[in-house]
Amino acid sequence: MSFVGPLGLSVRDRTLEADTQAGLTAVEEGLLEATKSDVPFITEAAQHLVRAGGKRFRPLLVLLAAQFGDPHAPGVVPSAVVVELTHLATLYHDDVMDEAEVRRGVSSANARWGNSVAVLTGDFLFARASHILADLGPEAVRIQAEAFERLVTGQILETAGPRDGRDPVEHYLDVLAGKTGSLIAVSGRFGAMMSGADESIVSILTQYGERLGMAFQLADDVLDIASDSHESGKTPGTDLREGVATLPVLYVREQAEATGSAEDRELCELLAGDLADDARHAEVLRRLRAHPALERARRVTVRYAAEARSMLAPLPEGPAKAALEGLCDAVVHRAG
């Protein structure tokens, strides 16, 4: 028997499978409950992305981390709802900043209702997450506040770009640590903490989540270039079209500067041009897929996943540890 979760994770233990399935069902109910308002329009806007689905990667990590204490402790599911609400809220705001038209296969909130409604709906979700947090105690509120500060800092760093003299790759990895690593780290931390796990286990799962979050996002960078749409479920080169310089692109620029190669310089010029043009976009994708920068980015992804996996070494053997290791393997597999 196996439960297939985000990234094709298989959980081969019946008890863990039942716990995880029940937990994810409870999280889904919690998300719908938390996004209800007395104003029907707000409910519709707030539930727009909840109902569109998603991997529920962060809640799954909360539930797996809770296996190292009491997985049925009262704070586990609410904390999983908090991290997913926070994640969803950032998506509403991201789509406004990116002027995105589609999210999770449906029209983005900003495309459907305009930027103001999308921003305010994101704020509404943050408010609801805070409301749930208040019942989980001051320590949970503090942890979430620190993670949210890191998340926003990462977003601001991305918007501002690297300051003069700063290595663009280092800057980019700092952005990812804030935007993605921070909330996935909190997912591991909340699950362990709410279940009453030992403090050393809480620390291990926090550090694991941070590294797994980095690997998860970097795998997306690789996937955006390397996959076809059938394989990944998303249109390849989306980040390129939106002008987002992900790790493979940064490595191309770095190599062009280091070697002065005419081919690399030409690729950089193409990357700097209008990639809304389909022919140009297809040419850039073709060249990037054959460029050593893509393999270099893949190796960095694998390194972060390996670091995440190595963090788990002190944990007791069992189905929960095996599932967390499986998440690392799934991220690597995703990156090819």
Side-chain angles (χ1 to χ4, degrees):
M1 220 180 204
S2 66
F3 159 71
V4 179
L7 318 176
L9 172 72
S10 290
V11 176
R12 302 187 184 282
D13 178 85
R14 290 186 180 216
T15 305
L16 180 57
E17 179 194 4
D19 272 358
T20 309
Q21 287 282 31
L24 286 172
T25 299
V27 168
E28 215 58 35
E29 290 167 1
L31 287 170
L32 289 172
E33 188 58 39
T35 46
K36 278 182 190 163
S37 165
D38 293 339
V39 181
F41 175 66
I42 295 176
T43 304
E44 184 188 1
Q47 292 186 350
H48 181 62
L49 287 186
V50 174
R51 293 185 182 280
K55 300 182 194 76
R56 303 294 188 252
F57 180 55
R58 291 154 189 82
L60 177 69
L61 184 50
V62 173
L63 298 172
L64 291 176
Q67 291 290 324
F68 295 91
D70 173 9
H72 307 295
V76 173
V77 167
S79 69
V81 172
V82 165
V83 291
E84 188 66 9
L85 279 177
T86 305
H87 172 58
L88 288 169
T90 65
L91 298 184
Y92 281 83
H93 288 178
D94 279 353
D95 286 347
V96 170
M97 288 188 287
D98 299 340
E99 299 176 2
E101 304 221 340
V102 176
R103 169 69 73 176
R104 296 181 171 175
V106 298
S107 294
S108 63
N110 45 299
R112 186 161 174 183
W113 294 296
N115 286 348
S116 295
V117 167
V119 169
L120 291 167
T121 303
D123 293 344
F124 176 80
L125 295 182
F126 285 131
R128 285 298 172 88
S130 299
H131 187 83
I132 296 167
L133 266 171
D135 292 333
L136 297 177
E139 177 71 354
V141 173
R142 184 184 62 77
I143 289 167
Q144 175 75 356
E146 286 172 358
F148 191 44
E149 180 184 335
R150 284 188 62 206
L151 200 156
V152 172
T153 300
Q155 187 65 67
I156 292 170
L157 284 174
E158 182 179 61
T159 305
R163 62 181 186 275
D164 288 347
R166 178 87 201 278
D167 175 11
V169 171
E170 276 184 24
H171 172 85
Y172 181 67
L173 293 175
D174 278 352
V175 166
L176 294 195
K179 279 187 65 179
T180 306
S182 61
L183 199 56
I184 295 178
V186 164
S187 301
R189 188 171 182 179
F190 272 170
M193 186 176 120
M194 296 298 166
S195 73
D198 186 79
E199 191 54 48
S200 63
I201 290 178
V202 175
S203 175
I204 286 166
L205 290 169
T206 304
Q207 294 174 67
Y208 163 84
E210 179 88 24
R211 286 159 180 79
L212 185 69
M214 293 290 287
F216 181 72
Q217 186 54 56
L218 289 167
D220 261 8
D221 287 4
V222 171
L223 202 62
D224 187 60
I225 291 164
S227 73
D228 59 38
S229 53
H230 172 73
E231 180 189 345
S232 67
K234 63 184 266 192
T235 307
T238 301
D239 290 332
L240 288 175
R241 220 183 265 281
E242 291 172 358
V244 178
T246 57
L247 194 61
V249 171
L250 293 174
Y251 279 150
V252 167
R253 290 178 184 165
E254 185 179 279
Q255 187 168 313
E257 207 170 300
T259 65
S261 141
E263 203 175 333
D264 286 343
R265 285 204 308 269
E266 190 182 335
L267 178 51
C268 286
E269 283 170 21
L270 283 169
L271 283 162
D274 178 17
L275 294 179
D277 177 77
D278 287 343
R280 187 184 191 115
H281 182 260
E283 174 65 9
V284 166
L285 261 184
R286 185 187 68 77
R287 290 193 184 201
L288 280 172
R289 283 169 178 167
H291 199 283
L294 185 62
E295 183 53 37
R296 195 176 164 196
R298 194 179 270 120
R299 286 199 303 270
V300 175
T301 307
V302 170
R303 191 188 81 217
Y304 274 106
E307 285 179 10
R309 191 186 180 106
S310 70
M311 294 305 306
L312 299 172
L315 293 181
E317 296 300 326
K321 181 177 178 178
L324 293 172
E325 289 172 338
L327 275 180
C328 299
D329 296 339
V331 166
V332 170
H333 177 72
R334 183 177 166 82

